[in-house]
């Protein structure tokens, strides 16, 4: 995936970090048998996804690939197979 820059954007990193923090919060409260804290952690996980999508909408995510670039990528892939 390193060649495609998959996930190497501020939007992806921020969303994943927030979701990871939420996962850790939920895990701690699950072990502590505190349902309210567990669900608060789950809410933080979803907030991470929303923040990532909002940042992508603000232009901090991967740009959409143009049709010309997609066609060139397909031709290059076919050339490697031959």
């Amino acid at each position: 995936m390193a060649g495609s820059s998959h996930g190497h954007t501020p939007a992806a990193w921020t969303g994943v970090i927030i979701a990871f923090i939420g996962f850790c919060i939920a895990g701690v409260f699950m072990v502590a048998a505190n349902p309210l804290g567990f669900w608060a952690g789950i809410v933080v996980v979803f907030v991470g996804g929303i923040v990532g999508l909002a940042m992508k909408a603000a232009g901090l995510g991967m740009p959409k690939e143009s049709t010309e670039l997609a066609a060139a990528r397909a031709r290059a892939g076919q050339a490697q197979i031959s």
Side-chain angles (χ1 to χ4, degrees):
M1 299 303 328
S4 67
S5 296
H6 177 75
H8 297 284
T9 64
W13 278 100
T14 305
V16 168
I17 289 170
I18 293 171
F20 178 71
I21 291 169
F23 176 78
C24 291
I25 292 169
V28 166
F29 282 106
M30 183 170 50
V31 171
N34 184 335
L36 185 61
F38 169 79
W39 288 110
I42 296 299
V43 168
V44 173
V45 170
F46 284 110
V47 167
I50 293 168
V51 167
L53 288 174
M55 289 179 70
K56 181 179 177 184
L60 295 172
M62 291 289 291
K64 295 264 184 203
E65 190 174 78
S66 67
T67 56
E68 295 85 17
L69 184 58
R73 185 182 311 276
R75 284 191 306 271
Q78 290 297 324
Q80 287 180 346
I81 293 172
S82 301

